[in-house]
Amino acid sequence: LGGFLFFTFVGTDYWKVKIPVISVVKPFSFINQDGKKVTEANLLGKVTVVEYFFTTCKGICPKLNTNMKDVYLQYKDQPDFQILSHTCNPETDSVPVLKRYADSLKVDTKKWIFLTGPKEPLYLAARESYKLDDPKNNVKSIADQFIHTQFFALVDKKGLVRGKIYDGLKQIEIQELKRDIALLIKE
């Protein structure tokens, strides 16, 4: 029986490790560090790691982006890999500010893209698409809201958020993220 099952399922989708689907990326339109529009269509065909940060953060963001740079360095040569870093403070993080920040990291901004835009759609994407913030944190006025999260999301080539929500401050979860990126690149 074991041999029958092995030969029946080897090489099929049943044999592969399945990374669960968490959600679907909803339509969006933001501006990158070069002043160009980025939409959900830019995710198709690429495995994308998503984060939220802000350039003036002195708390968790430097550590998050150190860990993200580690992920970037491992996968930067993969043609179907990218990172999207959304600002959670668009009032401060303008296009020129994001450009200076990206330049300070010395990364290829075609692979690691920094995004800004109106606060409400940025926050809706964090909550509804990427599941990086609890919608219960939503208060009545968008002006009174502030997302400050240490979590990363992983999006597959079809625009599906997969795996789990990864804690960007924990090395064990960064290693899980790297493993899951490799699996999704092969899909």
Side-chain angles (χ1 to χ4, degrees):
L1 179 62
F4 170 76
L5 291 174
F6 176 79
F7 288 110
T8 301
F9 293 112
V10 72
T12 67
D13 283 343
Y14 294 108
W15 189 256
K16 296 178 185 171
V17 174
K18 299 276 190 200
I19 300 175
V21 174
I22 298 171
S23 70
V24 177
V25 176
K26 293 172 178 44
F28 67 82
S29 180
F30 300 124
I31 304 298
N32 73 10
Q33 71 286 332
D34 298 318
K36 296 189 171 135
K37 184 163 74 168
V38 175
T39 71
E40 72 284 353
N42 295 92
L43 276 64
L44 300 178
K46 296 191 182 285
V47 173
T48 306
V49 179
V50 175
E51 74 162 341
Y52 278 72
F53 83 109
F54 61 107
T55 60
T56 56
C57 175
K58 304 283 190 247
I60 63 173
C61 300
K63 177 70 172 162
L64 289 174
N65 281 337
T66 296
N67 289 341
M68 187 66 84
K69 190 162 185 183
D70 186 40
V71 173
Y72 164 82
L73 290 172
Q74 182 164 339
Y75 289 103
K76 68 183 173 98
D77 296 326
Q78 288 287 332
D80 48 358
F81 172 79
Q82 65 185 354
I83 298 168
L84 293 185
S85 290
H86 302 68
T87 182
C88 53
N89 190 10
E91 296 84 8
T92 301
D93 291 339
S94 63
V95 168
V97 169
L98 289 178
K99 178 70 172 158
R100 277 193 303 279
Y101 187 84
D103 290 347
S104 75
L105 290 176
K106 297 178 177 36
V107 296
D108 176 355
T109 54
K110 290 178 182 64
K111 300 298 279 186
W112 190 344
I113 302 159
F114 296 84
L115 299 175
T116 192
K119 188 174 184 179
E120 187 169 6
L122 281 165
Y123 281 37
L124 284 175
R127 291 181 176 130
E128 295 178 3
S129 290
Y130 305 120
K131 306 298 183 190
L132 293 177
D133 187 54
D134 188 340
K136 293 176 189 157
N137 291 339
N138 197 353
V139 293
K140 290 187 186 214
S141 170
I142 189 72
D144 296 332
Q145 296 178 36
F146 194 75
I147 291 177
H148 195 217
T149 179
Q150 77 259 24
F151 297 110
F152 298 160
L154 180 59
V155 181
D156 70 12
K157 296 175 189 179
K158 296 175 185 173
L160 302 173
V161 179
R162 303 275 299 273
K164 64 182 211 171
I165 302 305
Y166 304 86
D167 189 325
L169 297 176
K170 295 182 179 174
Q171 276 306 309
I172 191 162
E173 295 205 17
I174 297 298
Q175 296 311 314
E176 286 179 61
L177 173 63
K178 288 179 179 180
R179 181 202 66 219
D180 289 349
I181 291 167
L183 291 171
L184 291 182
I185 287 173
K186 290 178 186 174
E187 277 190 355

